């Protein structure tokens, strides 16, 4: 009987930590393949292998176990995003299938770039809106109008590993569209691209 209970406990433990595994050797090697000023290669849908990888469902990070690797990952993703003139970038776009992305805070003075680790969307309206001019570093040379929410309530870990819960609004490209950036990057973590959510095709 004790052996039986032990097996059940082991199974439950494995299941519960399944989504929060430490970085693999492959992930570690990619992150440490350059210093913080070295951009990653951005995966694009034009490449068949990249295109498949961009459809990967990502898993949560173990912040405590991998904090120094995560710090390097964030720095290199920031370098990559700036080199590409993006307003957001998600880990699967640079070959790391993990729940982490950077997003520009257009709602804050100076438009700082912040990180969301293991993010969740915890509340959203029933109605959707049409966001004009969505685009993606992984879908070069194209843009389109996407179906989005006008606001979202989100929860994530910040760069210090602290839990943040906040409401993000703004869906106008002319003023603030921080909430849209968050939705776009969050979709990447589930293998979804904005081209899956087109409201209508725009000028391609
Ligand atoms: Zn994108």
């Amino acid at each position: 009987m004790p052996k039986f209970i032990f097996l059940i406990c082991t199974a439950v433990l494995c299941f519960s930590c399944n989504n929060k595994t430490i970085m693999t050797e492959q992930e570690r090697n990619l992150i440490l393949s350059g210093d913080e000023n070295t951009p990653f290669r951005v995966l694009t849908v034009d490449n068949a292998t990249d295109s498949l990888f961009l459809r990967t469902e990502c898993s949560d990070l173990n912040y405590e176990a991998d904090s120094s690797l995560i710090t390097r990952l964030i720095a290199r993703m920031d370098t990559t995003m700036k080199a590409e003139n993006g307003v957001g970038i998600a880990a699967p776009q640079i070959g790391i299938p993990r729940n982490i992305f950077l997003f520009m805070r257009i709602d804050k003075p100076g438009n700082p770039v912040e990180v969301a680790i293991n993010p969740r969307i915890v509340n959203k309206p029933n109605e959707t809106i049409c966001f004009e001019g969505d685009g993606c570093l992984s879908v070069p040379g194209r843009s389109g109008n996407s179906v989005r929410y006008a606001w979202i309530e989100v929860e994530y870990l910040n760069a210090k590993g602290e839990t943040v819960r906040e409401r993000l609004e703004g869906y106008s490209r002319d003023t603030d569209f921080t909430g849209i950036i968050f939705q776009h990057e969050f979709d990447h973590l589930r293998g979804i691209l904005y081209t899956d959510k087109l409201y209508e095709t725009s000028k391609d």
Side-chain angles (χ1 to χ4, degrees):
M1 191 57 143
K3 196 175 181 184
F4 179 67
I5 290 170
F6 172 77
L7 283 173
I8 288 186
C9 289
T10 308
V12 168
L13 200 65
C14 286
F15 180 75
S16 62
C17 66
N18 189 37
N19 278 336
K20 242 186 177 181
T21 52
I22 58 166
M23 295 270 200
T24 64
E25 194 65 28
Q26 197 180 3
E27 290 170 327
R28 175 181 289 269
N29 288 342
L30 176 55
I31 292 166
L32 298 178
S33 66
D35 66 17
E36 58 190 20
N37 299 313
T38 311
F40 290 109
R41 182 180 75 83
V42 175
L43 279 57
T44 70
V45 293
D46 298 336
N47 174 301
T49 311
D50 288 0
S51 194
L52 270 177
F53 191 90
L54 287 165
R55 296 305 185 173
T56 308
E57 182 137 1
C58 297
S59 57
D60 275 350
L61 284 163
N62 185 325
Y63 184 86
E64 291 75 21
D66 282 323
S67 58
S68 60
L69 267 180
I70 291 170
T71 301
R72 173 74 65 90
L73 173 63
I74 292 168
R76 292 193 66 188
M77 283 174 68
D78 188 52
T79 300
T80 310
M81 195 183 110
K82 283 168 181 161
E84 301 272 340
N85 289 319
V87 292
I89 190 166
Q93 291 182 276
I94 53 92
I96 300 287
R98 295 289 183 164
N99 289 330
I100 178 172
F101 62 74
L102 268 55
F103 65 118
M104 190 178 280
R105 298 299 304 243
I106 298 169
D107 57 337
K108 290 186 178 179
N111 298 346
V113 175
E114 293 185 359
V115 63
I117 300 166
N118 301 342
R120 305 275 181 270
I121 293 178
V122 294
N123 199 8
K124 58 186 187 307
N126 292 324
E127 306 79 30
T128 55
I129 53 105
C130 172
F131 177 69
E132 294 187 8
D134 211 334
C136 182
L137 298 178
S138 294
V139 189
R142 293 169 63 186
S143 71
N145 301 336
S146 57
V147 176
R148 300 289 180 194
Y149 297 106
W151 59 266
I152 46 173
E153 276 178 24
V154 300
E155 199 171 280
Y156 57 89
L157 299 181
N158 65 16
K160 293 177 185 166
E162 301 159 341
T163 301
V164 177
R165 186 177 175 130
E166 62 182 334
R167 180 178 163 120
L168 297 172
E169 301 186 23
Y171 51 89
S172 163
R173 184 160 281 285
D174 297 329
T175 53
D176 173 27
F177 58 103
T178 308
I180 303 293
I181 301 172
F182 197 102
Q183 290 172 64
H184 177 117
E185 303 309 330
F186 184 79
D187 277 349
H188 272 299
L189 309 182
R190 296 179 299 157
I192 298 168
L193 302 175
Y194 86 89
T195 45
D196 301 326
K197 295 193 161 178
L198 289 182
Y199 194 86
E200 57 183 30
T201 45
S202 177
K203 42 191 183 295
D204 272 6

